[in-house]
Amino acid sequence: MKLLMFIFACVFVVEGYLPEHSMEKQNSFENFVCPPVSALRPCQCTTVPDIPTIHCENIRSLKTIKRALRSWFRNDPIPYLRIVEARLEGLPSRAFVTLNVTRLHIKDSNLRWIATDAFSGLESLLMLTLHNVTLLTFPPESLSQLSSLISLRLPENELLQLAHRDLRGAGKLKYLSLAGNKLTHVERGSFPIILVTLSLSNNWLRTLNKSIRNLVNLEWLFLNNNRLLNLEGELDGLRNLRKLNLAKNSLRHIGRSFRDLINLQELYLQFNSIHQLGTSLHNLSQVRNLNLSMNRLVILNYSDFEGLESLETLDLSGNRINALNGAFHSLINLRRLDLTHNRLRNLFFTEISHLTNLSILDVSDNRLHRLKSGIPTATLPIERIFLARNNLTTLGRFIRHFTVLEVVDISFNQIRILKAIDFSVSSRIDYISVTGNPLICDAEQMFVHHTLENRNIEIDGLPKCNIQPPRL
């Protein structure tokens, strides 16, 4: 599933977005010079890749860190302080009071407790990350000390719930990640209205409890890898949302859940249990990337994708689709279409003839017996077509519709004869895979093979024949 892999890669990039390196109040570090190694022991300083970072690892006490840093950074701010695998039992009162830190990242440390004034004195802190430090609760009083904080990340901890008072002290918070905890409940009113990015991925949520409704500034929302059953009314008012990840939940119906997402550009719904679309996507006129792979879709309907004129990438792989029913007729800007691992028996050119910008079509791993061409003069700008692992015995005139074709994969079908004319429409073809087909060896077929090879086309999987091609 070539397209599926591509889209999953995009998801990982999206999921990783939180502004460690792109703060609103980005300072210039051009004049920053790392102190001598001997001055920072046991910590280290690096200016790579872009933010000068003080890295302290396997430290037994915060006093050790403060003693190493305060003489050199008495007045100057520390751009990024990273504490990893520190053997600390907790963060005591005024733990960083002698330091001026812009970004603080504590990772893989067993913090049993955090004093209510642990961050007192860090008025300039913009980003706080407590990653895998076994947090059970987060004292809300601690946040009230961080008057400049705009990014808070608490991934891979043991948080079970979020109360509406927990983030009340974070008046400037715009970026929040609670990914990888054990959240089962989020109270309404828990999130600041100015949030731009919110990640609740990899938790145990069955419902959002109307907690994110009307977050009018929210642009990126990650809810993947939860146990969500229903979204009705949960996303109301999110008119500025750009990216929404709902992959790996237990959604069966979408209904009108997306009706307010008029500016959404990327939507990930893979690995759910959705069996029909209806009108659920009709308001998503700005969506460019849509992943519906690994659901339970069986039949697509003519109106399923109406209104999605901006869509460029559509992944429907891993469903049970056996009929397309003209569902793609309105997708005039679609560039990549993945239909792999479905149950299609026939593919008609008329089903894709409206996709005038389509460049990649993957229909591998279906049950295709037949490819049906359309009007001979109709063409599409498809550059790569994948028809591998089906039951095709012939290509008919189907691929003659693609005048700029570069790659053709018809491997592992039941094709016995290749026709040079099928590959003559496009002068750009440079690769054809015929591996796993029962191609016959006779003089006529050898002539076809040589004709294609003489056009500098790489043909993968040709049988080894001892027959010489006929002479002209």
Side-chain angles (χ1 to χ4, degrees):
M1 290 186 288
K2 304 165 186 68
L3 280 179
L4 182 59
M5 294 173 65
F6 167 80
I7 294 178
F8 275 160
C10 293
V11 174
F12 284 123
V13 172
V14 169
E15 180 64 29
Y17 175 80
L18 276 172
E20 289 194 17
H21 304 291
S22 57
M23 292 296 183
E24 283 185 348
K25 299 180 180 179
Q26 183 69 278
N27 296 318
S28 174
F29 304 117
E30 295 178 359
N31 299 322
F32 183 90
V33 177
C34 278
V37 175
S38 58
L40 287 181
R41 288 194 180 108
C43 300
Q44 298 177 334
C45 177
T46 177
T47 58
V48 179
D50 52 1
I51 296 180
T53 301
I54 305 298
H55 183 90
C56 305
E57 189 169 350
N58 290 317
I59 305 297
R60 291 181 178 272
S61 169
L62 284 175
K63 292 181 180 179
T64 304
I65 297 176
K66 289 192 287 187
R67 186 166 54 249
L69 301 182
R70 63 188 174 192
S71 60
W72 192 270
F73 296 102
R74 186 177 300 276
N75 298 314
D76 297 326
I78 299 173
Y80 197 166
L81 175 57
R82 199 164 187 267
I83 303 172
V84 179
E85 295 183 354
R87 285 166 280 183
L88 308 173
E89 292 186 356
L91 294 181
S93 174
R94 300 167 65 84
F96 304 93
V97 70
T98 60
L99 302 176
N100 182 3
V101 182
T102 304
R103 296 162 179 80
L104 175 61
H105 188 149
I106 303 177
K107 182 181 179 183
D108 299 333
S109 303
N110 188 16
L111 298 181
R112 298 179 183 177
W113 49 270
I114 298 177
T116 57
D117 60 345
F119 303 114
S120 178
L122 292 179
E123 289 83 4
S124 298
L125 191 69
L126 297 177
M127 185 200 82
L128 173 63
T129 299
L130 301 176
H131 183 180
N132 189 28
V133 295
T134 64
L135 275 183
L136 293 173
T137 60
F138 190 85
E141 296 84 358
S142 300
L143 288 180
S144 63
Q145 313 290 325
L146 303 174
S147 57
S148 299
L149 192 70
I150 65 172
S151 174
L152 175 63
R153 301 178 70 239
L154 305 174
E156 297 185 45
N157 284 290
E158 305 291 329
L159 299 176
L160 298 175
Q161 61 181 356
L162 186 68
H164 70 277
R165 67 185 185 91
D166 287 346
L167 300 172
R168 184 169 293 178
K172 295 184 178 180
L173 195 64
K174 290 190 174 184
Y175 310 97
L176 174 64
S177 174
L178 300 172
N181 282 275
K182 298 178 180 178
L183 291 174
T184 59
H185 180 70
V186 178
E187 288 187 6
R188 298 183 188 184
S190 294
F191 302 115
I193 191 68
I194 64 172
L195 270 186
V196 174
T197 297
L198 172 62
S199 178
L200 295 172
S201 61
N202 293 285
N203 278 285
W204 296 355
L205 294 170
R206 290 184 177 273
T207 176
L208 297 174
N209 193 34
K210 305 296 189 293
S211 61
I212 62 175
R213 294 180 63 176
N214 299 315
L215 293 180
V216 294
N217 294 290
L218 199 63
E219 295 183 10
W220 293 38
L221 177 59
F222 305 103
L223 298 168
N224 49 297
N225 291 80
N226 276 280
R227 303 172 183 181
L228 296 173
L229 299 169
N230 193 300
L231 293 173
E232 193 63 38
E234 298 285 9
L235 307 176
D236 291 356
L238 305 185
R239 295 183 177 275
N240 285 305
L241 200 65
R242 301 289 191 273
K243 303 179 190 297
L244 174 59
N245 192 340
L246 286 160
K248 294 188 177 181
N249 278 282
S250 300
L251 300 172
R252 292 177 56 85
H253 305 281
I254 300 174
R256 302 182 64 230
S257 303
F258 300 153
R259 59 180 175 268
D260 285 349
L261 309 186
I262 56 176
N263 287 301
L264 195 67
Q265 296 179 1
E266 297 188 24
L267 176 58
Y268 302 96
L269 286 162
Q270 63 267 30
F271 290 97
N272 278 280
S273 299
I274 300 168
H275 62 272
Q276 63 180 5
L277 298 175
T279 61
S280 60
L281 305 176
H282 285 193
N283 283 2
L284 307 182
S285 61
Q286 301 301 312
V287 167
R288 296 179 181 177
N289 298 320
L290 174 59
N291 193 330
L292 282 161
S293 64
M294 309 307 291
N295 277 280
R296 297 183 180 179
L297 297 171
V298 176
I299 297 176
L300 298 182
N301 294 307
Y302 186 80
S303 62
D304 282 349
F305 301 105
E306 283 188 357
L308 276 69
E309 290 86 0
S310 299
L311 195 63
E312 296 179 1
T313 299
L314 175 59
D315 191 341
L316 290 165
S317 61
N319 281 277
R320 305 169 185 178
I321 299 170
N322 58 41
L324 301 179
N325 295 319
F328 306 137
H329 71 277
S330 62
L331 304 182
I332 56 176
N333 285 301
L334 195 68
R335 297 181 182 277
R336 303 177 184 90
L337 175 59
D338 192 337
L339 290 165
T340 59
H341 291 278
N342 278 286
R343 300 178 182 179
L344 293 171
R345 291 183 174 274
N346 302 294
L347 181 60
F348 296 89
F349 179 77
T350 53
E351 293 284 5
I352 60 172
S353 60
H354 296 87
L355 308 181
T356 53
N357 285 291
L358 193 66
S359 62
I360 302 177
L361 174 63
D362 197 340
V363 201
S364 301
D365 296 285
N366 275 267
R367 302 174 182 179
L368 292 177
H369 287 270
R370 182 186 180 197
L371 299 175
K372 177 65 175 176
S373 59
I375 301 172
T377 56
T379 62
L380 285 178
I382 291 179
E383 298 175 354
R384 296 168 178 257
I385 185 167
F386 303 94
L387 297 164
R389 293 173 296 280
N390 281 286
N391 297 308
L392 296 171
T393 58
T394 178
L395 298 177
R397 296 174 176 268
F398 188 77
I399 65 172
R400 301 183 198 180
H401 290 290
F402 313 134
T403 56
V404 294
L405 202 58
E406 298 175 359
V407 173
V408 181
D409 186 352
I410 52 175
S411 59
F412 298 99
N413 278 279
Q414 300 300 317
I415 297 172
R416 302 182 71 239
I417 297 174
L418 294 179
K419 296 180 180 180
I421 192 173
D422 288 338
F423 307 99
S424 63
V425 175
S426 173
S427 60
R428 300 185 183 182
I429 293 181
D430 56 19
Y431 179 80
I432 302 172
S433 177
V434 296
T435 301
N437 282 282
L439 294 169
I440 64 174
C441 280
D442 62 17
E444 183 177 351
Q445 280 298 287
M446 288 300 297
F447 178 75
V448 172
H449 301 170
H450 282 274
T451 299
L452 296 175
E453 289 173 343
N454 287 338
R455 290 174 52 192
N456 294 319
I457 298 175
E458 178 185 352
I459 307 177
D460 189 19
L462 282 177
K464 295 182 179 180
C465 303
N466 295 321
I467 302 173
Q468 293 296 319
R471 295 182 179 181
L472 293 177

